[in-house]
Structures are given as C-alpha cells and as structure tokens.
Amino acid sequence: MTMMSAGQRSRTRRITFLVALAVFAQESTWNFYESQVPPLLREHLGSAAVVGLLMGMDNLLGIFIQPWIGNRSDRTRTSWGRRMPYLVVGMPIAAVLFVLIPHAAGSLPLLIVAMFSYALVANSFKPIAEALVPDFIEPERRSRANAAVKIAASVTAIVAALISIFLVDHHLYVAFAIPSVIMLLSILVLGLTVHDSQSPAYQAAVADSRETHGAERGKERRVRDIFVEILKDTDRSRLLIILAILLFGCAWAASRSLMTPYGMEALEMSRGAAGGLTLPSGIAFIVAAYPAAILAERYGRLRVMAAGMSVFATAMVLGTVVQTPAGTVVAMCVAAAGATCFLVNAVVVLWNLAPSAHVFGTYAGLYTVGWAGGGFIGPALVGGMVDITGWPLMLVDIALVAVSSVVVVARISSLQRRVAVPAVK
C-alpha cells in the first residue's frame, strides 16, 4: 500500500464527506418512505403480502432503471463531470414528489401513483452518488470511505425515526416535508462544491476516449454487454456477489419496511412509537460502520461479511425469543451492527472486481440491481410468510432469508482462495 501525502489525505477526506452528503440527501427521503408509507397502505389493504409487494415497487423500478442510468453516467462527458448533472436535476424533482405522498393517501389509486412517481425519479439518480467513491478513491481505501457513506445513510434512519416519534401522529404533512427540505439543502451544497470532472476515474475515461476513433468509438459496452460478460465468466465471483447482495437485501428490506406494522401488530404499539423502533439501531449502525471497514482490511472483506450476516440472523432469532419492545430494540441494534459488515463491504468487493474505471457507474448499478431486487422480493416474501405464520414470527422469517446469503458468501470465499485476489478478500 502506497503512503499518502497530507494533501492527498485531505482531498480523500473532503470527497468522502461530500459523497456521504450526497447519499444523506437521497436517503433522507427513502428511509422515511420505508417507515411511514406502509401504514398509509394499510389504511386501504389488509394483506401484509400486498403491502410488501407495493413497498417493493420502487425496488422493481430500480432493477431496470439503475443499471441503465449508471451505465449512462459512465458514458456522460460534461465540464461538471459524469455524475453531478444527474444529481442536481433529479434530487429537487424527487423532493417535490415526496411531499405529495401523504396528500394522496386518501385514495389508494392516487397513493400508488404518488409512490410510483417518486420512486421513478428517485431511482434515476440513486446509484450515481455511490459511484463517486471509486471515481475519487483508490481501492485499498474504499471500505473506509464507504463506511462514512453508510454512516450518513444511517443518520437519515435516525432522523426518520425521530420524525416518526415526534410528528407523524399529529402532523403528518409536516413530517413528510422535513426529509424533502433536507434533500434540497444537501443538493445545494453538493452543486456548489463537487465537480467530478476532477476525479481520477473521469480523467482516465476521458483520456481513453480521446484515443478511440471512428468505428471503435461505437464499441462502448452497454449494460447488457457487461452483464453477459459476468454471466459467461468462468470465475463466478461477480455473479455470486450480486446474488448475495440480493439475498441479504431481501432480509434487510423486510426488517425495515415491515418493522412499523410488526410493532403495531406483534408488540401492540402505536404507529408513531412503532416507527421509532429502529432509532437505536441506527446509532448501533453508526458505531459499527468504521470498525467493520477496519476489520475487513485486516481479516478480509468476505470473511467479515459472512460473520456480520450470521450475527444479523442470530439477533433476529433472539428478538423473537424476547418479544417485547425493549427486546426488539436490542435485537435490532445487534442486527444492525452485524449488517454493517455486509453493507460497508459488499459494494467494495464488486467495485474491486470491475475490470476498469470505465464501468464503476455500471457496477454501482449492478449492485443496486441486487439490492433493489432484494428490496422488491424481500418485503413481499416475508410478508407472505407472515400471512402464514403470523406477525410474532416475522423476525425468524427474516433470519431464514439472511442465512441463505451467508451460504453464498462462503462459496465466494472458497472461489477467491483459489485465485487469491487481495482487494476482494
């Protein structure tokens, strides 16, 4: 590992903070969406599976939109760079659409239209901010940078929980407006400070493009080409890490999207109090994020990911054994700390498996294909299991899904021991 100068360290910290702010901006609305839109749906629907299916709609859109927009940003060339134009246009529109959701809640069709509109726009820039990490930061430091990004995302979960506790029960419209204002203020700062045309990855892409002429210029790989390449690769590591992301995404999304109704049905809590169940776990996530990056650098990313997911599954089981509000809070804290090991390192593993800097945006999009796929399938899958087994066993249902992702990561570890890829392991 090369030594960094004081100036390089300062630039790395600055861009890490700004990328974290970009993620904070978009997650400020997504976390509140996951927490408080399910109760709006339950005013019209009785089936947990249908609620879970509709909550997964945004993730289904993401499966199609995010890889395409990531690849599109890879091929964008402007004086502002290839990522920022998408952020400064998409975020303000999404903020306005988010405010409209509770106003449409009186009618199920209007509510679904509002949800769809917000999800469509918000998905169009969701992978762009995270792609700035490999654009600016060298491989060996990406876990630490991504830890900061995940901390920022977790802070928004705390903000969403606090809004739920203090405002949702009596001031629903104001509660939805606050995350939108946060998004608008954040993108204002980003628009004034970040020009990703200065990133090493962008400059390398531009330099390579200048060397490409005539017919060769039309040979830029699109999403389909890159995905086919991954499917045909005899080393299944890239395909398996996407599968692991999908499976753990199922477990994580279900634990977030269905937690408010779980608190109301299994723990007999009010809507606002149930929406705050994840507040302490957000703090646990923040505390665990940076150590998860350090442990990954020392013991290997895949090994730490598998251990963290095992902790997550165990915590879900313990939360069922001690089925009280306090027991659930403790279980969610332990689970969040375990999940951090996966969330901080999974996308870094995928970035480091990328063949070149030309496809970082596309690989960020492929990460979100797995994560969004899990977000779409997970709430509906676990919701269907809840319809059969009942709300009291929801956490066990989530644990079973998480265990399957541990098996996949163990398989990747076996493959990587054969080829010995240090940046991945």
Side-chain angles (χ1 to χ4, degrees):
M1 183 182 300
T2 58
M3 296 296 292
M4 298 176 64
S5 68
Q8 288 174 319
R9 284 195 297 271
S10 177
R11 286 191 295 272
T12 296
R13 292 191 188 104
R14 177 180 178 275
I15 195 60
T16 297
F17 170 78
L18 291 171
V19 172
L21 182 62
V23 173
F24 178 89
Q26 59 189 22
E27 292 296 326
S28 62
T29 54
W30 278 116
N31 272 293
F32 196 74
Y33 179 94
E34 296 291 340
S35 173
Q36 291 304 327
V37 171
L40 296 178
L41 290 170
R42 281 184 60 79
E43 292 176 2
H44 303 278
L45 300 167
S47 170
V50 176
V51 171
L53 185 66
L54 288 172
M55 285 304 297
M57 175 180 61
D58 60 286
N59 294 289
L60 179 62
L61 288 172
I63 291 172
F64 297 99
I65 295 173
Q66 293 184 32
W68 176 81
I69 202 71
N71 182 260
R72 181 73 180 176
S73 72
D74 281 337
R75 296 182 287 116
T76 296
R77 302 289 182 265
T78 73
S79 59
W80 212 342
R82 54 182 178 176
R83 316 292 186 201
M84 286 304 300
Y86 297 94
L87 295 176
V88 297
V89 172
M91 284 188 176
I93 297 174
V96 172
L97 291 171
F98 185 77
V99 171
L100 298 178
I101 290 175
H103 294 274
S107 164
L108 181 60
L110 286 178
L111 176 58
I112 293 174
V113 169
M115 292 169 60
F116 179 86
S117 301
Y118 163 75
L120 182 66
V121 175
N123 270 299
S124 69
F125 58 81
K126 196 170 184 181
I128 303 299
E130 290 191 3
L132 290 169
V133 171
D135 279 352
F136 280 95
I137 297 171
E138 64 276 8
E140 60 270 19
R141 305 285 295 186
R142 287 173 187 165
S143 282
R144 300 188 189 197
N146 201 44
V149 170
K150 297 304 181 184
I151 287 171
S154 187
V155 169
T156 66
I158 294 173
V159 171
L162 288 171
I163 295 172
S164 294
I165 292 170
F166 293 110
L167 289 175
V168 162
D169 288 337
H170 303 291
H171 304 285
L172 185 62
Y173 294 166
V174 175
F176 271 81
I178 290 174
S180 294
V181 172
I182 292 173
M183 178 181 278
L184 292 172
L185 292 175
S186 298
I187 194 56
L188 177 62
V189 174
L190 285 164
L192 294 174
T193 57
V194 177
H195 290 74
D196 64 287
S197 58
Q198 301 170 2
S199 73
Y202 180 82
Q203 292 173 3
V206 170
D208 287 347
S209 296
R210 288 172 181 163
E211 297 175 1
T212 313
H213 301 283
E216 293 183 1
R217 190 180 296 274
K219 294 182 180 179
E220 292 181 320
R221 292 183 300 167
R222 299 182 182 273
V223 177
R224 181 177 59 184
D225 303 321
I226 294 169
F227 192 65
V228 168
E229 174 189 292
I230 292 173
L231 287 175
K232 292 182 176 180
D233 191 355
T234 54
D235 180 358
R236 314 303 286 176
S237 297
R238 289 181 291 178
L239 185 61
L240 286 173
I241 192 63
I242 294 172
L243 176 60
I245 291 164
L246 184 147
L247 291 171
F248 193 70
C250 285
W252 179 258
S255 74
R256 315 314 279 185
S257 294
L258 300 178
M259 186 52 61
T260 298
Y262 172 80
M264 296 168 68
E265 300 290 343
L267 304 178
E268 299 181 349
M269 303 174 69
S270 73
R271 175 177 165 182
L277 279 172
T278 57
L279 174 58
S281 67
I283 298 172
F285 191 106
I286 291 172
V287 172
Y290 194 73
I294 300 300
L295 288 172
E297 292 176 2
R298 178 172 297 181
Y299 298 108
R301 292 185 175 94
L302 294 172
R303 185 178 300 173
V304 169
M305 287 163 58
M309 289 186 292
S310 299
V311 169
F312 177 92
T314 301
M316 292 291 104
V317 174
L318 293 177
T320 305
V321 173
V322 186
Q323 198 162 69
T324 64
T328 301
V329 167
V330 171
M332 292 302 292
C333 286
V334 175
T340 302
C341 296
F342 184 91
L343 294 173
V344 165
N345 293 295
V347 69
V348 177
V349 171
L350 190 57
W351 283 331
N352 292 351
L353 287 169
S356 74
H358 288 272
V359 294
F360 283 152
T362 306
Y363 270 55
L366 291 176
Y367 169 81
T368 56
V369 164
W371 195 250
F376 173 66
I377 298 169
L381 173 63
V382 174
M385 296 167 77
V386 167
D387 285 343
I388 296 171
T389 63
W391 284 102
L393 292 179
M394 187 190 81
L395 299 185
V396 172
D397 298 335
I398 293 171
L400 292 174
V401 178
V403 167
S404 65
S405 63
V406 178
V407 174
V408 175
V409 170
R411 175 57 180 164
I412 301 170
S413 295
S414 176
L415 291 175
Q416 290 304 309
R417 279 195 294 271
R418 297 177 190 174
V419 297
V421 182
V424 174
K425 293 171 64 182

